Amino acid sequence: MSIEIANESGVGVDEPSIVAAARFALDRMGVSPLAELSVLLVELDVMADLHQRWMDLPGPTDVMAFPMDELDSARRPDAAGLGPALLGDIVLCPDFAHDQAKKAGHSLLDELHLLTVHGVLHLLGYDHAEPAEEREMFTLQNRILGDFRTATAEAARQSAQREADSKLLGAVGLEDSDRPGPTA
């Protein structure tokens, strides 16, 4: 899966983590590993311009999704049997998201993960204009985010355990399996 990220926002964020959230969501939705996605982080004024131009709404917003026109709108990209596709672009505004994160009581990165998953779902044809659509989309979004957080925490735990094991092996003079041992 090709996910390109460009940070033009001036805000330092953990870009690989945002890509990981997007990749996790796409994997969970069964999107082809050959799919392509672009994530762009922008400043408030750029987001306000996009919001006005494409949604005819004033001021900036947190996330916008721009699906590619080449996709068959009658068939979502997460449908079985779909091959490679250029999914589209997700545009995030970290400055706008920062205020939302504070109100929600979590970190900016947590908010950007949420917005990334939200954008992915929009690219896959999900919407929240109607109450039933909103329930479906937000239930799916929350499930994906929960699974992503669990997987990320488990990966961090395993990494810390490997590091601790390596230090212990080194302290007692045993060879670490990552280092080449003596050859016969």
Side-chain angles (χ1 to χ4, degrees), residues 16-84:
S17 182
I18 293 169
V19 169
R23 179 168 282 116
F24 188 89
L26 291 168
D27 285 346
R28 282 297 159 115
M29 297 304 297
V31 174
S32 168
L34 300 175
E36 297 178 21
L37 170 68
S38 171
V39 179
L40 177 63
L41 289 80
V42 298
E43 296 176 336
L44 285 167
D45 60 336
V46 173
M47 185 60 99
D49 180 55
L50 291 170
H51 201 213
Q52 180 68 49
R53 185 180 322 156
W54 295 100
M55 303 295 291
D56 202 24
L57 295 170
T61 190
D62 51 4
V63 59
M64 292 184 72
F66 296 92
M68 290 305 296
D69 291 337
E70 69 186 48
L71 294 175
D72 178 359
S73 62
R75 189 167 160 217
R76 295 200 313 222
D78 56 336
L82 188 67

